Amino acid sequence: MPDSDRKDNDSAAWRQSLDAYRAALACGFPQVGEVFDDCMHDALTVLSPAGVSAYLDTGRFLGGMGRGVEPVLTFLEEWPPIARTLGEEALPAIAATIRELSKSPNAKAITPFLQTLAAVARRLPSRPQIQRYLDLTLEFAARTTGSIHGIHQTFASPGLPEFFAQAPTLLDNLAIAGLRTWVDYGIRNYHQHPERQRDYFSLRSADSRAVLQRERHGTLLVDHERLLDLYLRALWHDSAQLVPYPTDGEQSPPATPYYDAGGIRLPDVLDEQHGVSAIDCYRAMLAHIAGHRRWSQPMFADNISPMQRLAVEVFEDSRIEALVLRRYPGLRRTFLALHPAPVEGDCDPQNTSCLRHRLAMLSRALLDAAHGYHDAELRKFVGHFHETMAAGDSSSEEIATLALAYIARTRCQSDQLAKVHFADTEIAYRDDNRHLWRFHERSDDEEMFDEHRPTAEVAEPDRLPPRHYPEWDYQSESYRPDWVSLYESLHPAGNAADIDRLLEKHAALARRLKRLLDLLKPQEKQRIRYQEDGSELDLDVAIRSLIDFKGGATADPRINMSHRSSGRNLAVFLLLDLSQSLADKVKLASGGEQSILELSQEAVSLLAWSIEQLGDPFAIAGFHSDTRHDVRYLHLKGYSERWGDLVKGRLAAMQAGYSTRMGAAMRHAAHYLAAQKAEKKLLLVLTDGQPADVDVHDDRLLIEDARKSVEELDQQGIFSYCISLDRKADEYVSDIFGRRYSVIDRVERLPERLPELFMALTR
């Protein structure tokens, strides 16, 4: 079958499917019809067939609720990204919340609830967390909705819409437990004052901000998830997903980290513990769990008593930490600070079960050579453990045998008592070891655990975890929080010789540029004399000071000198638009054709060579986008890399594709440029068209967002400048960059004009 016929058939099948989906939605609002195709495209990339059916069912309910087009329109647009974060299994609970609100006078709050739910889901990315948010929502509505004589709910909650609007901001600062406390304060104190309730939940009142500040504590996992993800990948070559679980500050016993088929589960917020920062506590948890994932093997637990199982877990935890410390000895200080140090003799064996106390002492002794314990059996088994580990990595089975021997040697009658000694036995950075056990026969106790799935060595993915950036909505004059997901990756490498050939092609231009560059190079270094601290001794001043000292006068302590360059102090970032339009061909004056991408490669190569001659630190990156959920940022050259074959190879492999979401890329480039220690910071943007993306139908939206990003860069002291290859750029580029742009109408002159523009900007 010819390709054209196959494409026609595919298009007809797609149109037929859309008609069926539209019939299932059964919504007659014209605004929905305008965006339905795009919404279904997004939904089908995320949802299963059952998920699509539930998606349409919920949309049909919202459309028939009698509250206008906004609820259904918001849901259709927002649910696919929410499902990408939470999974489509979260929809029933969310739909149940919507139905409860629709039955009450609070139906108008459904739209703000849905509008902010995507941002909330990014802050509460696990289903237990989002369920607590939904429970809080319904409790809020029930406690603040007014009624006549306490019988029928009549008046809508005055604070609920305001609460939904502020939820992303609140969750930027609070864990879910802190959010509940903040909400409870507002309800208790302003239940009978609608206006003051609105002020409180919109964060306009002083006490609202004061309670918010009071509840802010600890380090939120969601704020450091990317950093910890990179830590896990870099040190352990493990790309397991990090999943936060909700914690309460007063919860006892505290929840314990663990891992299962869904990822590594960590507490959503941590405080500093025993002088160890919260981020280091998270690192200790990850190191311990990563060690289990690498070295532990599951064992059958059917014929092992709970006491024996506890001993095996303690010995296995110690084995894992011994292996972790072989690789990264610096973690010992953190482990020792977080590990309790039980006092020998604190537990009374006559009236209390001391098993946990003995095992905690043993665990401390296995970690700390200076433990100071005198118990003979403990010291004996510490020696056996170290002998076993000295022979190699050992194994879970071998260490279990040692643990069972220890239990047999130290068993006491009081170990069976119901009263258990818990003081100084909780080791908070260790997981709950559910992964260690398998069962021939599953009982009610074991059904809560997932079946063990062997963890294979995971290959390093080709891109880093996403960074989320806001996007400016010019119509509401506000930011859409965490709206854009930007994925950074290292650009694949090609043949560096291709770039060398391009430089040879422009050898005459390079020689001319070389003469201009010589005029821009920094001059000789200048001496700075009379310094108390410096790079070398200033002999004249030092001798004079020595004479003064010998003569009894006060000596001048400024006997050193340092040097500084009298020339340039500049850092440069070149950001390249790699959208699909770069593949377009242009006619050359010589009569041939060449793509804009090839001309850009030549121009960037010459510019990079020029900046290398000047010695300015510079970096290069490219970007393109496929909706706000997938902005791709491609690293070509970092500030620490030299201009060489590796960078040339990446430039040679550049390809054009997708769209141009410029604002997010500029914000991310500014993240790296702002970290440079330079007096002047220059961001050059090379593009061939206006900002646009397939999920944006308002042409002004991304233009205004790019303009806002330029303002943000100005506030950071970063000078941005655009080089546009679009002949129609005058219609929009000044709205973004003001007067800081140049339009190159003759694209074939780009290799010549780009280095010249750079030198003019940095003269």
Side-chain angles (χ1 to χ4, degrees):
M1 181 184 294
D3 289 343
S4 59
D5 292 344
R6 185 179 292 108
K7 290 178 181 177
D8 290 341
N9 289 341
D10 292 344
S11 178
W14 168 243
R15 183 55 52 189
Q16 190 175 12
S17 298
L18 280 177
D19 291 340
Y21 292 136
R22 191 175 284 106
L25 181 64
C27 182
F29 292 112
Q31 298 95 322
V32 172
E34 293 173 3
V35 301
F36 184 75
D37 292 4
D38 291 337
C39 290
M40 284 308 304
H41 179 270
D42 289 345
L44 290 170
T45 61
V46 178
L47 305 177
S48 67
V52 171
S53 178
Y55 173 61
L56 296 173
D57 288 344
T58 306
R60 184 170 61 252
F61 167 77
L62 290 167
M65 193 172 55
R67 292 291 176 177
V69 68
E70 285 193 355
V72 62
L73 192 62
T74 303
F75 174 76
L76 291 176
E77 292 179 339
E78 295 296 330
W79 177 246
I82 296 171
R84 187 179 283 109
T85 302
L86 296 175
E88 64 183 42
E89 299 83 1
L91 180 56
I94 293 171
T97 303
I98 294 172
R99 291 177 188 275
E100 287 295 324
L101 292 175
S102 71
K103 296 175 186 177
S104 72
N106 296 301
K108 287 185 178 180
I110 292 176
T111 298
F113 168 72
L114 291 171
Q115 286 172 338
T116 56
L117 190 57
V120 168
R122 284 191 287 273
R123 303 300 296 183
L124 305 174
S126 67
R127 282 198 289 279
Q129 285 184 301
I130 204 68
Q131 185 60 57
R132 294 184 67 177
Y133 176 74
L134 299 178
D135 294 342
L136 179 60
T137 292
L138 295 179
E139 181 184 335
F140 191 127
R143 294 174 64 185
T144 57
T145 302
S147 62
I148 296 177
H149 305 303
I151 301 174
H152 300 292
Q153 290 186 331
T154 310
F155 307 110
S157 166
L160 190 59
E162 304 289 350
F163 167 70
F164 288 142
Q166 296 297 329
T169 300
L170 292 166
L171 288 168
D172 279 343
N173 296 280
L174 301 176
I176 187 65
L179 179 64
R180 172 173 284 278
T181 303
W182 181 84
V183 167
D184 183 67
Y185 181 96
I187 294 174
R188 283 189 290 105
N189 289 278
Y190 304 115
H191 180 69
Q192 302 297 332
H193 303 279
E195 289 301 323
R196 296 178 69 181
Q197 189 180 134
R198 290 190 189 95
D199 287 344
Y200 181 90
F201 288 107
S202 60
L203 285 174
R204 290 195 296 266
S205 67
D207 58 340
S208 171
R209 295 188 294 271
V211 176
L212 173 64
Q213 189 65 32
R214 185 191 70 190
E215 292 302 317
R216 290 180 64 179
H217 71 91
T219 297
L220 297 178
L221 174 62
V222 69
D223 288 333
H224 298 83
E225 184 176 353
R226 174 183 164 85
L227 177 66
L228 293 170
D229 197 312
L230 295 177
Y231 167 83
L232 188 63
R233 292 168 188 253
L235 271 64
W236 298 104
H237 306 290
D238 192 332
S239 58
Q241 183 180 1
L242 305 184
V243 183
Y245 59 79
T247 55
D248 289 327
E250 300 177 358
Q251 184 176 355
S252 181
T256 307
Y258 67 96
Y259 73 86
D260 57 16
I264 297 176
R265 315 291 176 136
L266 299 173
D268 60 351
V269 61
L270 281 181
D271 292 306
E272 179 181 314
Q273 300 177 28
H274 308 291
V276 178
S277 67
I279 193 68
D280 282 341
C281 292
Y282 276 125
R283 291 190 180 109
M285 292 178 181
L286 283 178
H288 183 84
I289 291 176
H292 274 303
R293 288 167 62 84
R294 175 167 296 192
W295 291 299
S296 288
Q297 302 89 31
M299 297 170 282
F300 285 105
D302 298 80
N303 297 321
I304 301 179
S305 71
M307 289 189 297
Q308 291 173 322
R309 200 185 306 173
L310 179 62
V312 171
E313 291 175 359
V314 169
F315 271 80
E316 177 67 358
D317 282 338
S318 297
R319 180 180 81 92
I320 293 303
E321 285 172 14
L323 295 173
V324 167
L325 292 173
R326 282 184 190 175
R327 178 163 294 200
Y328 302 112
L331 280 169
R332 186 180 298 276
R333 181 176 60 84
T334 302
F335 285 157
L336 285 173
L338 295 175
H339 195 296
V343 177
E344 193 170 10
D346 262 10
C347 181
D348 178 11
Q350 300 301 320
N351 304 307
T352 309
S353 172
C354 295
L355 176 62
R356 290 181 61 89
H357 182 258
R358 292 200 306 275
L359 289 173
M361 287 174 54
L362 176 72
S363 177
R364 178 74 189 193
L366 294 175
L367 181 65
D368 182 7
H371 54 81
Y373 297 132
H374 302 290
D375 183 86
E377 290 296 333
L378 181 147
R379 299 176 70 91
K380 175 182 175 182
F381 275 87
V382 167
H384 290 337
F385 176 88
H386 289 310
E387 290 171 5
T388 302
M389 295 304 299
D393 291 350
S394 187
S395 67
S396 299
E397 292 285 353
E398 184 179 13
I399 217 69
T401 303
L402 189 61
L404 295 177
Y406 178 74
I407 281 292
R409 292 283 298 177
T410 62
R411 182 170 51 206
C412 299
Q413 188 66 32
S414 61
D415 290 345
Q416 306 289 336
L417 295 176
K419 183 181 178 182
V420 178
H421 182 91
F422 279 97
D424 292 330
T425 63
E426 298 290 337
I427 307 173
Y429 66 87
R430 290 181 177 175
D431 62 297
D432 65 5
N433 287 307
R434 66 181 65 187
H435 55 87
L436 277 180
W437 306 110
R438 290 189 296 180
F439 300 87
H440 287 294
E441 297 181 6
R442 295 171 67 85
S443 68
D444 291 339
D445 292 335
E446 286 83 40
E447 283 175 359
M448 63 182 288
F449 301 121
D450 293 329
E451 289 288 350
H452 178 83
R453 300 181 185 179
T455 304
E457 194 73 20
V458 181
E460 190 74 4
D462 61 352
R463 60 185 189 177
L464 297 178
R467 281 186 181 271
H468 299 294
Y469 285 99
E471 193 166 88
W472 179 254
D473 183 352
Y474 74 100
Q475 293 178 330
S476 64
E477 296 187 349
S478 62
Y479 283 104
R480 294 170 171 174
D482 291 344
W483 189 251
V484 177
S485 298
L486 183 143
Y487 293 87
E488 183 176 356
S489 61
L490 189 65
H491 199 293
N495 186 4
D498 294 344
I499 300 300
D500 290 330
R501 283 193 289 271
L502 293 179
L503 292 173
E504 291 175 6
K505 172 183 173 182
H506 295 282
L509 175 59
R511 286 193 294 271
R512 184 160 62 87
L513 290 173
K514 182 72 165 60
R515 291 193 294 272
L516 295 173
L517 292 169
D518 288 339
L519 300 176
L520 293 176
K521 282 186 177 180
Q523 302 301 314
E524 294 299 325
K525 292 183 177 180
Q526 294 179 339
R527 286 191 305 171
I528 305 176
R529 305 183 68 186
Y530 299 103
Q531 302 290 304
E532 290 190 18
D533 297 307
S535 58
E536 61 182 271
L537 193 67
D538 189 336
L539 287 177
D540 292 340
V541 180
I543 292 172
R544 187 164 59 248
S545 295
L546 180 61
I547 294 172
D548 291 341
F549 177 75
K550 294 289 188 181
T554 302
D556 190 342
R558 301 172 300 166
I559 60 173
N560 295 301
M561 63 179 175
S562 58
H563 297 86
R564 70 180 176 191
S565 172
S566 62
R568 304 157 64 89
N569 188 0
L570 173 72
V572 184
F573 201 108
L574 180 58
L575 186 61
L576 310 177
D577 170 11
L578 298 180
S579 59
Q580 182 60 45
S581 53
L582 257 69
D584 295 345
K585 301 279 188 179
V586 295
K587 292 184 179 180
L588 304 178
S590 59
E593 284 188 338
Q594 195 172 9
S595 72
I596 300 176
L597 178 64
E598 292 169 343
L599 289 167
S600 298
Q601 286 176 315
E602 295 179 8
V604 172
S605 300
L606 278 168
L607 177 61
W609 173 82
S610 302
I611 301 176
E612 181 75 11
Q613 301 301 308
L614 289 169
D616 295 330
F618 72 104
I620 308 172
F623 74 96
H624 51 214
S625 62
D626 183 17
T627 77
R628 67 184 178 92
H629 305 295
D630 192 8
V631 177
R632 306 175 185 186
Y633 181 95
L634 304 168
H635 171 94
L636 293 162
K637 180 191 178 298
Y639 285 105
S640 61
E641 293 181 288
R642 299 287 298 173
W643 169 251
D645 288 345
L646 190 60
V647 176
K648 292 177 185 176
R650 295 177 194 144
L651 285 173
M654 286 196 314
Q655 293 182 340
Y658 303 104
S659 305
T660 313
R661 212 173 194 107
M662 185 181 293
M666 291 179 65
R667 291 181 178 97
H668 192 62
H671 164 74
Y672 290 109
L673 185 53
Q676 294 300 304
K677 296 180 180 179
E679 292 180 3
K680 299 178 182 178
K681 299 171 184 179
L682 172 63
L683 175 65
L684 289 176
V685 181
L686 177 61
T687 180
D688 71 327
Q690 76 179 58
D693 210 341
V694 293
D695 61 340
V696 177
H697 304 288
D698 183 349
D699 292 341
R700 293 297 306 175
L701 185 65
L702 294 185
I703 292 175
E704 293 295 329
D705 176 62
R707 179 189 63 78
K708 195 68 175 179
S709 70
V710 170
E711 292 179 4
E712 295 167 15
L713 266 62
D714 288 342
Q715 294 170 1
Q716 298 177 59
I718 297 174
F719 182 87
S720 55
Y721 194 91
C722 178
I723 299 101
S724 179
L725 309 179
D726 183 6
R727 295 181 179 180
K728 299 180 180 179
D730 292 322
E731 299 174 5
Y732 61 85
V733 71
S734 61
D735 293 341
I736 301 174
F737 292 93
R739 296 183 179 181
R740 296 178 295 186
Y741 72 93
S742 296
V743 179
I744 301 178
D745 293 327
R746 294 174 58 190
V747 181
E748 65 273 16
R749 294 194 59 199
L750 178 62
E752 175 185 355
R753 294 284 292 126
L754 184 59
E756 290 178 350
L757 277 170
F758 169 75
M759 287 185 283
L761 288 170
T762 60
R763 188 178 300 276

Coordinates of all heavy atoms in Angstrom, one line a residue, residues 346-391:
D346 N 21.0 -0.3 81.0 CA 19.8 0.5 81.1 C 18.5 -0.3 81.2 O 17.5 0.2 81.7 CB 19.7 1.5 80.0 CG 20.2 2.9 80.3 OD1 20.8 3.0 81.4 OD2 20.0 3.8 79.5
C347 N 18.5 -1.5 80.6 CA 17.3 -2.3 80.6 C 17.3 -3.3 81.8 O 18.3 -4.0 82.0 CB 17.2 -3.0 79.3 SG 15.8 -4.1 79.1
D348 N 16.2 -3.4 82.4 CA 16.0 -4.3 83.6 C 15.5 -5.7 83.0 O 14.3 -5.8 82.7 CB 15.1 -3.7 84.6 CG 14.8 -4.7 85.8 OD1 15.6 -5.7 85.9 OD2 13.9 -4.4 86.5
P349 N 16.3 -6.7 83.0 CA 15.9 -8.0 82.4 C 14.9 -8.7 83.3 O 14.3 -9.7 82.8 CB 17.2 -8.8 82.2 CG 18.1 -8.2 83.3 CD 17.7 -6.8 83.4
Q350 N 14.6 -8.3 84.5 CA 13.7 -9.0 85.3 C 12.2 -8.7 85.0 O 11.4 -9.5 85.1 CB 14.0 -8.6 86.8 CG 15.3 -8.9 87.3 CD 15.7 -10.4 87.2 OE1 14.8 -11.3 87.5 NE2 16.9 -10.7 86.8
N351 N 12.0 -7.4 84.5 CA 10.6 -7.0 84.3 C 10.3 -6.6 82.9 O 9.2 -6.2 82.5 CB 10.3 -5.8 85.2 CG 10.5 -6.2 86.7 OD1 10.0 -7.2 87.2 ND2 11.3 -5.4 87.4
T352 N 11.4 -6.5 82.0 CA 11.3 -6.0 80.7 C 11.9 -6.9 79.7 O 13.0 -7.5 80.0 CB 11.9 -4.6 80.6 OG1 11.4 -3.8 81.7 CG2 11.6 -3.9 79.3
S353 N 11.4 -6.9 78.5 CA 12.1 -7.6 77.4 C 13.2 -6.7 76.9 O 13.0 -5.6 76.4 CB 11.1 -7.9 76.2 OG 11.7 -8.3 75.1
C354 N 14.4 -7.2 77.0 CA 15.6 -6.5 76.6 C 16.2 -6.8 75.2 O 17.3 -6.5 74.9 CB 16.7 -6.6 77.7 SG 16.2 -6.0 79.3
L355 N 15.4 -7.6 74.5 CA 16.0 -8.1 73.2 C 16.3 -6.9 72.3 O 17.4 -6.8 71.7 CB 15.0 -9.0 72.5 CG 15.3 -9.4 71.1 CD1 16.6 -10.3 71.1 CD2 14.2 -10.2 70.4
R356 N 15.4 -5.9 72.1 CA 15.7 -4.8 71.2 C 16.9 -4.0 71.8 O 17.7 -3.5 71.0 CB 14.5 -3.8 71.2 CG 13.3 -4.4 70.4 CD 12.2 -3.4 70.3 NE 12.6 -2.2 69.7 CZ 12.5 -1.9 68.4 NH1 12.0 -2.9 67.6 NH2 12.9 -0.8 67.9
H357 N 17.0 -3.9 73.1 CA 18.1 -3.1 73.7 C 19.5 -3.8 73.4 O 20.5 -3.2 73.0 CB 17.9 -3.0 75.2 CG 19.0 -2.3 75.9 ND1 20.0 -2.9 76.6 CD2 19.2 -0.9 76.0 CE1 20.8 -1.9 77.1 NE2 20.3 -0.8 76.8
R358 N 19.5 -5.2 73.5 CA 20.7 -5.9 73.2 C 21.1 -5.8 71.8 O 22.3 -5.6 71.4 CB 20.6 -7.4 73.6 CG 20.4 -7.7 75.0 CD 20.7 -9.2 75.4 NE 20.0 -10.1 74.5 CZ 18.8 -10.5 74.8 NH1 18.1 -10.1 75.9 NH2 18.2 -11.4 74.1
L359 N 20.1 -5.9 70.9 CA 20.4 -5.8 69.5 C 20.9 -4.4 69.1 O 21.7 -4.2 68.2 CB 19.2 -6.2 68.6 CG 18.9 -7.7 68.7 CD1 17.5 -8.0 68.0 CD2 20.0 -8.5 68.0
A360 N 20.3 -3.4 69.7 CA 20.7 -2.0 69.4 C 22.2 -1.8 69.9 O 23.0 -1.1 69.2 CB 19.8 -1.0 70.1
M361 N 22.5 -2.3 71.0 CA 23.9 -2.2 71.5 C 24.8 -2.9 70.5 O 25.9 -2.4 70.2 CB 24.0 -2.9 72.9 CG 23.4 -2.1 74.0 SD 23.5 -3.0 75.6 CE 25.2 -3.4 75.7
L362 N 24.4 -4.1 70.1 CA 25.3 -4.9 69.1 C 25.5 -4.1 67.8 O 26.6 -4.0 67.3 CB 24.6 -6.2 68.8 CG 25.4 -7.1 67.8 CD1 26.7 -7.6 68.4 CD2 24.5 -8.2 67.3
S363 N 24.4 -3.5 67.3 CA 24.4 -2.7 66.1 C 25.4 -1.5 66.3 O 26.2 -1.3 65.4 CB 23.0 -2.2 65.7 OG 23.1 -1.4 64.6
R364 N 25.3 -0.9 67.4 CA 26.2 0.2 67.7 C 27.7 -0.2 67.7 O 28.6 0.4 67.2 CB 25.9 0.9 69.0 CG 26.8 2.1 69.4 CD 26.5 3.3 68.5 NE 27.5 4.3 68.7 CZ 27.4 5.6 68.3 NH1 26.3 6.0 67.7 NH2 28.4 6.5 68.5
A365 N 27.9 -1.4 68.4 CA 29.3 -1.9 68.5 C 29.8 -2.3 67.1 O 31.0 -2.2 66.9 CB 29.3 -3.1 69.5
L366 N 29.0 -2.8 66.2 CA 29.4 -3.2 64.9 C 29.8 -2.0 64.1 O 30.7 -2.1 63.2 CB 28.3 -4.0 64.2 CG 28.0 -5.4 64.8 CD1 26.9 -6.0 64.1 CD2 29.2 -6.3 64.8
L367 N 29.2 -0.8 64.4 CA 29.5 0.4 63.6 C 30.6 1.2 64.3 O 31.4 1.8 63.5 CB 28.2 1.2 63.6 CG 28.3 2.5 62.8 CD1 28.5 2.3 61.3 CD2 27.0 3.3 63.0
D368 N 30.7 1.2 65.6 CA 31.6 2.0 66.3 C 32.7 1.2 67.1 O 32.4 0.5 68.0 CB 30.8 2.9 67.3 CG 31.7 3.9 68.1 OD1 32.9 4.0 67.8 OD2 31.1 4.5 69.0
A369 N 33.9 1.3 66.6 CA 35.0 0.5 67.2 C 35.2 1.0 68.7 O 35.7 0.2 69.5 CB 36.3 0.7 66.4
A370 N 34.9 2.2 69.0 CA 35.1 2.7 70.4 C 33.8 2.6 71.2 O 33.4 3.6 71.9 CB 35.6 4.1 70.3
H371 N 33.0 1.5 71.0 CA 31.7 1.5 71.7 C 31.8 1.4 73.2 O 30.9 1.9 73.9 CB 31.0 0.2 71.1 CG 31.7 -1.1 71.3 ND1 31.8 -1.8 72.4 CD2 32.5 -1.7 70.4 CE1 32.5 -2.8 72.3 NE2 33.0 -2.9 71.0
G372 N 32.8 0.8 73.8 CA 33.0 0.8 75.2 C 32.1 -0.2 75.9 O 32.0 -0.2 77.2
Y373 N 31.5 -1.2 75.2 CA 30.6 -2.2 75.9 C 31.5 -3.3 76.4 O 32.5 -3.7 75.8 CB 29.6 -2.7 75.0 CG 28.6 -1.7 74.5 CD1 28.2 -1.6 73.1 CD2 27.9 -0.8 75.4 CE1 27.3 -0.6 72.7 CE2 27.0 0.1 74.9 CZ 26.7 0.2 73.6 OH 25.8 1.1 73.1
H374 N 31.1 -3.9 77.6 CA 31.9 -5.0 78.2 C 31.2 -6.3 78.1 O 31.9 -7.3 78.5 CB 32.1 -4.6 79.7 CG 32.8 -3.3 79.9 ND1 34.1 -3.1 79.6 CD2 32.3 -2.1 80.4 CE1 34.4 -1.8 79.8 NE2 33.3 -1.2 80.3
D375 N 30.0 -6.5 77.6 CA 29.4 -7.7 77.6 C 30.2 -8.7 76.8 O 30.6 -8.4 75.6 CB 28.0 -7.6 77.0 CG 27.2 -8.9 76.9 OD1 26.5 -9.2 77.9 OD2 27.3 -9.6 75.9
A376 N 30.5 -9.9 77.3 CA 31.4 -10.9 76.7 C 30.8 -11.4 75.4 O 31.5 -11.5 74.4 CB 31.7 -12.0 77.6
E377 N 29.5 -11.8 75.4 CA 28.9 -12.3 74.2 C 28.8 -11.3 73.1 O 29.1 -11.6 71.9 CB 27.5 -12.9 74.5 CG 27.5 -14.1 75.3 CD 28.2 -15.3 74.7 OE1 28.2 -15.4 73.4 OE2 28.7 -16.2 75.3
L378 N 28.5 -10.1 73.4 CA 28.5 -9.0 72.4 C 29.8 -8.8 71.8 O 29.9 -8.8 70.5 CB 28.0 -7.7 73.1 CG 27.9 -6.5 72.2 CD1 26.7 -5.6 72.7 CD2 29.1 -5.6 72.2
R379 N 30.9 -8.7 72.6 CA 32.2 -8.5 72.0 C 32.7 -9.7 71.2 O 33.3 -9.6 70.1 CB 33.2 -8.3 73.2 CG 32.9 -7.0 74.0 CD 33.9 -6.9 75.1 NE 35.2 -6.5 74.7 CZ 35.7 -5.3 74.5 NH1 34.9 -4.3 74.8 NH2 36.9 -5.0 74.1
K380 N 32.2 -10.9 71.6 CA 32.6 -12.1 70.9 C 32.0 -12.1 69.5 O 32.6 -12.4 68.5 CB 32.1 -13.4 71.7 CG 32.3 -14.7 70.9 CD 31.8 -15.8 71.8 CE 31.9 -17.2 71.0 NZ 31.3 -18.3 71.9
F381 N 30.7 -11.8 69.4 CA 30.0 -11.8 68.1 C 30.4 -10.6 67.2 O 30.3 -10.7 66.0 CB 28.5 -11.8 68.3 CG 28.0 -13.2 68.5 CD1 28.0 -13.8 69.7 CD2 27.6 -14.0 67.4 CE1 27.5 -15.1 69.9 CE2 27.1 -15.3 67.5 CZ 27.1 -15.9 68.8
V382 N 30.8 -9.5 67.9 CA 31.4 -8.4 67.1 C 32.6 -8.9 66.3 O 32.8 -8.6 65.2 CB 31.7 -7.2 68.0 CG1 32.6 -6.2 67.2 CG2 30.4 -6.5 68.4
G383 N 33.4 -9.7 67.0 CA 34.6 -10.2 66.4 C 34.3 -11.2 65.3 O 34.9 -11.2 64.2
H384 N 33.3 -12.1 65.5 CA 32.8 -13.0 64.5 C 32.3 -12.2 63.2 O 32.6 -12.6 62.1 CB 31.7 -13.9 65.0 CG 32.2 -14.9 66.0 ND1 33.5 -15.3 66.1 CD2 31.5 -15.6 67.0 CE1 33.6 -16.2 67.1 NE2 32.4 -16.4 67.7
F385 N 31.6 -11.2 63.5 CA 31.1 -10.4 62.4 C 32.2 -9.8 61.5 O 32.2 -9.9 60.3 CB 30.2 -9.3 62.9 CG 29.6 -8.4 61.8 CD1 28.4 -8.6 61.2 CD2 30.3 -7.2 61.5 CE1 27.9 -7.8 60.2 CE2 29.8 -6.3 60.5 CZ 28.6 -6.6 59.9
H386 N 33.2 -9.2 62.2 CA 34.3 -8.6 61.4 C 35.1 -9.6 60.7 O 35.6 -9.3 59.6 CB 35.1 -7.7 62.4 CG 34.4 -6.5 62.8 ND1 33.8 -5.6 62.0 CD2 34.2 -5.9 64.1 CE1 33.3 -4.6 62.6 NE2 33.5 -4.8 64.0
E387 N 35.3 -10.8 61.3 CA 36.0 -11.8 60.6 C 35.3 -12.3 59.4 O 35.9 -12.5 58.3 CB 36.2 -13.0 61.5 CG 37.2 -12.8 62.7 CD 37.2 -13.9 63.7 OE1 36.5 -14.9 63.5 OE2 37.8 -13.8 64.8
T388 N 34.0 -12.4 59.5 CA 33.1 -12.8 58.3 C 33.2 -11.8 57.2 O 33.4 -12.1 56.0 CB 31.7 -13.0 58.7 OG1 31.6 -13.9 59.8 CG2 30.8 -13.4 57.6
M389 N 33.2 -10.5 57.6 CA 33.2 -9.4 56.5 C 34.6 -9.3 56.0 O 34.7 -8.8 54.8 CB 32.8 -8.1 57.2 CG 31.3 -8.1 57.6 SD 30.1 -8.5 56.3 CE 30.5 -7.2 55.1
A390 N 35.6 -9.6 56.7 CA 37.0 -9.5 56.2 C 37.2 -10.5 55.1 O 38.1 -10.3 54.2 CB 38.0 -9.7 57.3
A391 N 36.5 -11.6 55.0 CA 36.6 -12.6 54.0 C 36.0 -12.2 52.6 O 36.2 -12.8 51.6 CB 36.1 -13.9 54.4

